[in-house]
Amino acid sequence: MPANRGRKKKGPNVKRSLQSDLARDVENARGWAEIVQIIRDQHQIPDLFTKAGLKRVYLNFDQVIRQLDSTFQKYEDNDEIVGGVVGIYTQMCEDAVLRTKLCENGLLSRLFPLLERDVCRQMALHTLVNIGHHGGTSVHAEVARQAPILVQTLLDHPEEHQTVEHIIVILSHSVGAAVNGDSQAPEMPEIHRSLDMRIILKTTIHHMRQLYASKTLIDHGNQLVFASAMHCSAAFRSEPDLDKFLVAGLKSKNWGLRGSCLGAMIRSYILSTVPDRPALGPAQLIQIFGSAWPPHLLEVMNQYGLSRCQSTQQRGHAMALSDAITGAHSRDHYILGGKLADLTLLTEFSLPATPMFPLSEIIPRCVEALRSRGTAADTNKADILEMKYLIKLQDWDGIKSKAQQFLARNPDSAYTFYALTLRPGSEDGLRAAKKGLKCKENNTTPYLYFQLLRRAIELAADLGVCYFQEYDQHGRMMWEEAIAFLMSALEDSKTFIEQAPPDNPYMMAILHWNIVLTITMEGPNADLKMVEVGLRSGARNKLKISEEISEHLRSPILHTQTYATQMLVVDLYAEAEKDWAAGIKLMDERLDEQIPPPDFPKKAEDELTAWLNDMSLKRFTCSSATPKVNVKDLWYKQCSWCRNPSAVLRKCSGCESARYCDSQCQKAHWSNHKKECKARIS
């Protein structure tokens, strides 16, 4: 009986006859369900488990809330009556409209003081869970402001495992909403500044690794860690256990935990790193090319083919560009336009912006001169030059509209596809990169091929990280799509590393991705030896060579997102595995279970728990089941022609086995697919 615990003792001179009928009836009640019923009967509140009852309360809301508030205040020292009133609030919160009206009328301010009262704590927390799970921005903000009270309750009562779970769920919804946001600012900057996120996150991951941690607790703890990563990165860097948890999470058997840790790690460096730099400029290359290569680097360059290395070719392109610009004085815009278009397929620096070379005047004339000739070759050059100019202007809308025109005329234009990869919008960009890589060799060059491959890796990796947090229209977590994107990025990174020149300026960034993705995709089977010997001479050895080449070319090694993420993984891997192996194993076991484990201790009152279970409240899990993902079977998430991973692919109408991005991919693949297609149909 709840009446036997947590009661405020009355003095010896207080006579029983002075108690009200309500207090006496509640004291004699046989449990929470009866207490709630007594209070409802006194105030003539209808059955709240029916739509009709909830509708009647809505129509008489002001009167009902006034009566309940009066009882709450009159008996504020009586745990059973206060708990019973909160129980009615909990039932009312099942209705979205009533829940909003209750919050607007100060419900939250009544609930938080009850966390200090043993008998009322579980009832108050259960109501806060319901409110937090369904509440909007204003509710999340109000709850997040009280995060210190919630954390203190967590610290004061770690033995109450139901309390622990409820509070982490509440923090996940409220604090997670407050500190999440885009790269500009968190959703609620003022609240974000007021929170001690180090202690919140440290306490959260401490409970996630305990024997009593349920799937619900772990799911919501993960959500909070992910949401906090970008704008609370200082908390991760100042608390070593947080970074170790992220690194150790990459070895999880559970793809949701693995993807969440990878995403949090990458997000935590968004605001403290710099973008990857472009290739070295032609003037810089001419200036430093005279310096002799160190013998061991020269050997690497010779093994690849010194004449094929990017720095060697870049010098030639720089000279050709200088000659082309000098020739501009002749005002032959047709010849100049042709040379600039050719150079655009060979180097990133084909349009120098200088006072002596006003692009806004010269490029439109060159494009017009090329188009006036009317040949297919000249028209393609005009398209390339115009696209390059739009990229220079960062005119993304212009690129989209022009690309449609150019591809309708020449669907095999690799440079047009490359321009599309640079537009904001990862899925369209990835599709364009994959199609560009399938273009005929006479429409591309080694430089353009590796630029397309680089963009395919970066976009697929970014999409993979994002899709671990996405749901489809049926509420299914899109883990399979996420894994397909990461698989694509990893495979393309291997191709880039094996085929690109060792002095490609993006080699380091791709090696960083390769190391992180190799460990992520291998999960529990991963170890650092995989990235040391996984490629022909080992990814980490190749990274060392790439760094030395960069230093020789006087190009600083920048603290980029991929650099910082890779360094964190490599530096902490062994220590994180040692400290968190047992914790990650426990989380994997819990996340694979569909119900709380049999030995999950319930410290809350048994009778209260039973009553709450009868209220038809939803369980607050991220998903009703843990997807079983077989990585080897994810081929069907990729286009059968260009190998673009996508969440939306069209089936071949004949065999219904092949899948395509669109009709263009299906048409391009038909010569290879028709025999298999007809065989399947027959």
Side-chain angles (χ1 to χ4, degrees):
M1 279 288 295
N4 295 328
R5 291 202 288 269
R7 291 290 305 269
K8 183 176 180 180
K9 295 183 179 180
K10 300 176 175 60
N13 296 325
V14 178
K15 296 183 179 179
R16 186 178 179 85
S17 60
L18 295 180
Q19 292 181 321
S20 69
D21 290 341
L22 177 60
R24 184 169 55 252
D25 291 344
V26 165
E27 185 176 27
N28 294 326
R30 290 176 295 180
W32 283 110
E34 191 170 336
I35 291 172
V36 169
Q37 187 64 49
I38 289 169
I39 299 173
R40 276 181 41 208
D41 290 345
Q42 186 187 66
H43 297 305
Q44 297 181 333
I45 296 174
D47 185 357
L48 296 174
F49 289 115
T50 66
K51 289 184 178 180
L54 290 170
K55 185 175 182 180
R56 282 179 57 193
V57 170
Y58 173 75
L59 294 173
N60 298 283
F61 179 81
D62 291 340
Q63 178 184 349
V64 171
I65 200 67
R66 189 164 50 248
Q67 290 174 332
L68 290 174
D69 285 353
S70 176
T71 299
F72 190 99
Q73 294 167 9
K74 182 177 180 180
Y75 298 98
E76 62 179 352
D77 292 331
N78 188 308
D79 288 336
E80 287 73 38
I81 293 179
V82 167
V85 172
V86 172
I88 296 175
Y89 291 151
T90 304
Q91 291 180 331
M92 292 170 66
C93 283
E94 281 290 278
D95 181 86
V97 176
L98 289 177
R99 183 169 59 246
T100 300
K101 291 175 75 67
L102 281 168
C103 290
E104 291 172 350
N105 280 269
L107 172 60
L108 293 174
S109 64
R110 299 184 189 91
L111 293 177
F112 282 103
L114 302 182
L115 300 183
E116 298 180 4
R117 296 162 68 165
D118 293 344
V119 174
C120 301
R121 185 159 45 249
Q122 290 302 316
M123 191 76 79
L125 285 172
H126 206 105
T127 305
L128 285 169
V129 166
N130 199 9
I131 292 172
H133 187 72
H134 299 288
T137 302
S138 60
V139 171
H140 287 151
E142 191 171 349
V143 175
R145 288 189 182 95
Q146 306 301 325
I149 296 176
L150 291 165
V151 174
Q152 191 58 53
T153 304
L154 202 61
L155 296 173
D156 290 343
H157 304 284
E159 77 288 349
E160 294 183 9
H161 301 147
Q162 190 66 66
T163 293
V164 170
E165 177 179 310
H166 282 336
I167 290 178
I168 288 177
V169 170
I170 296 163
L171 290 172
S172 175
H173 290 298
S174 57
V175 171
V179 302
N180 204 352
D182 57 25
S183 59
Q184 301 302 313
E187 292 292 337
M188 306 172 194
E190 182 182 350
I191 295 175
H192 169 261
R193 288 191 294 270
S194 71
L195 297 173
D196 185 347
M197 289 304 300
R198 188 188 70 85
I199 192 64
I200 290 175
L201 292 169
K202 180 181 179 180
T203 305
T204 297
I205 64 168
H206 166 76
H207 288 290
M208 288 170 64
R209 69 194 300 182
Q210 304 304 317
L211 287 171
Y212 51 76
S214 67
K215 182 180 187 298
T216 298
L217 188 157
I218 297 169
D219 276 338
H220 284 82
N222 268 333
Q223 290 178 28
L224 179 57
V225 169
F226 183 87
S228 306
M230 185 188 303
H231 293 288
C232 306
S233 58
F236 288 83
R237 305 295 96 86
S238 64
E239 183 56 52
D241 222 28
L242 285 167
D243 275 340
K244 289 180 190 176
F245 164 65
L246 297 182
V247 174
L250 300 183
K251 288 185 71 69
S252 171
K253 294 180 180 179
N254 183 275
W255 276 104
L257 178 56
R258 218 187 302 181
S260 178
C261 287
L262 174 64
M265 202 182 312
I266 292 170
R267 280 165 57 89
S268 73
Y269 287 110
I270 287 178
L271 303 180
S272 61
T273 54
V274 297
D276 283 328
R277 55 154 174 73
L280 294 171
Q284 186 182 12
L285 278 169
I286 291 174
Q287 180 182 356
I288 68 176
F289 198 80
S291 61
W293 286 92
H296 70 291
L297 295 182
L298 184 60
E299 182 182 355
V300 171
M301 306 279 277
N302 282 327
Q303 286 178 351
Y304 184 82
L306 188 60
S307 63
R308 295 167 55 217
C309 287
Q310 189 149 330
S311 54
T312 305
Q313 294 194 344
Q314 193 80 320
R315 187 186 186 200
H317 302 331
M319 292 178 176
L321 179 61
S322 178
D323 291 342
I325 292 174
T326 303
H329 297 298
S330 66
R331 300 300 178 189
D332 190 335
H333 291 99
Y334 171 76
I335 294 176
L336 176 62
K339 289 182 178 179
L340 293 177
D342 289 341
L343 284 169
T344 295
L345 298 181
L346 300 173
T347 176
E348 197 162 348
F349 296 94
S350 60
L351 295 185
T354 67
M356 300 296 294
F357 196 74
L359 296 178
S360 59
E361 296 179 13
I362 294 175
I363 300 305
R365 293 174 184 172
C366 291
V367 171
E368 184 180 359
L370 287 166
R371 294 200 191 285
S372 66
R373 296 297 177 100
T375 67
D378 288 330
T379 299
N380 287 337
K381 287 185 177 183
D383 292 350
I384 291 168
L385 191 55
E386 188 169 0
M387 270 297 171
K388 176 63 178 180
Y389 185 52
L390 291 173
I391 293 173
K392 192 84 172 178
L393 298 176
Q394 294 189 348
D395 182 357
W396 310 124
D397 291 336
I399 288 173
K400 182 179 181 180
S401 61
K402 290 290 184 180
Q404 292 175 344
Q405 300 174 28
F406 298 168
L407 289 174
R409 182 167 57 244
N410 179 14
D412 210 41
S413 174
Y415 195 81
T416 301
F417 283 121
Y418 172 65
L420 287 171
T421 71
L422 303 177
R423 294 180 65 250
S426 298
E427 292 191 46
D428 289 340
L430 178 59
R431 187 177 298 112
K434 288 292 191 177
K435 289 189 175 186
L437 289 168
K438 298 294 289 187
C439 288
K440 296 175 182 177
E441 290 186 8
N442 60 346
N443 281 335
T444 188
T445 60
Y447 158 78
L448 183 55
Y449 173 80
F450 291 121
Q451 287 292 78
L452 285 163
L453 195 57
R454 171 181 69 87
R455 290 300 292 153
I457 295 163
E458 293 171 343
L459 293 170
D462 181 62
L463 281 166
V465 171
C466 292
Y467 264 67
F468 275 114
Q469 306 298 319
E470 295 290 331
Y471 294 82
D472 66 10
Q473 59 185 351
H474 305 294
R476 178 186 63 89
M477 296 190 76
M478 301 179 73
W479 292 358
E480 291 181 346
E481 290 80 358
I483 298 166
F485 284 124
L486 295 187
M487 286 171 57
S488 175
L490 179 58
E491 290 306 311
D492 283 344
S493 75
K494 294 175 182 177
T495 302
F496 187 100
I497 294 165
E498 293 291 347
Q499 296 182 6
D503 60 340
N504 184 291
Y506 296 100
M507 179 63 79
M508 269 191 290
I510 303 306
L511 282 162
H512 295 152
W513 269 124
N514 177 268
I515 291 170
V516 173
L517 291 176
T518 296
I519 291 174
T520 301
M521 297 306 291
E522 290 295 331
N525 300 319
D527 59 56
L528 287 183
K529 291 182 180 179
M530 289 182 172
V531 297
E532 291 172 350
V533 300
L535 297 168
R536 188 171 297 168
S537 60
R540 294 188 70 187
N541 183 55
K542 283 180 176 286
L543 182 58
K544 183 175 181 293
I545 294 294
S546 184
E547 289 172 347
E548 291 177 353
I549 289 174
S550 184
E551 290 172 357
H552 174 73
L553 295 175
R554 300 179 192 174
S555 178
I557 299 173
L558 300 177
H559 190 74
T560 63
Q561 244 183 306
T562 54
Y563 171 84
T565 303
Q566 179 268 151
M567 288 295 292
L568 183 71
V569 172
V570 172
D571 289 349
L572 290 183
Y573 194 80
E575 195 175 346
E577 185 177 17
K578 177 182 176 182
D579 292 354
W580 274 89
I584 296 300
K585 181 180 179 182
L586 181 75
M587 291 183 207
D588 286 345
E589 292 171 356
R590 294 292 184 264
L591 292 170
D592 282 341
E593 294 172 355
Q594 304 308 309
I595 58 174
D599 59 344
F600 184 77
K602 299 290 186 181
K603 286 295 187 180
E605 296 180 41
D606 294 339
E607 197 264 333
L608 167 61
T609 303
W611 180 73
L612 291 174
N613 287 341
D614 288 337
M615 293 184 59
S616 72
L617 293 173
K618 302 177 181 69
R619 285 199 59 79
F620 304 112
T621 54
C622 295
S623 58
S624 59
T626 302
K628 303 295 183 183
V629 182
N630 186 346
V631 175
K632 294 181 180 179
D633 292 339
L634 289 182
W635 61 270
Y636 66 89
K637 297 292 183 181
Q638 297 181 346
C639 173
S640 299
W641 168 243
C642 72
R643 310 312 299 169
N644 171 47
S646 176
V648 183
L649 294 172
R650 300 179 180 180
K651 287 183 180 181
C652 170
S653 58
C655 65
E656 296 189 353
S657 176
R659 288 168 166 79
Y660 301 102
C661 297
D662 49 34
S663 58
Q664 289 180 341
C665 283
Q666 186 169 14
K667 183 178 179 181
H669 191 227
W670 179 242
S671 60
N672 296 330
H673 175 60
K674 60 183 178 181
K675 187 174 181 179
E676 177 188 1
C677 183
K678 292 176 180 179
R680 284 180 177 270
I681 295 174
S682 60

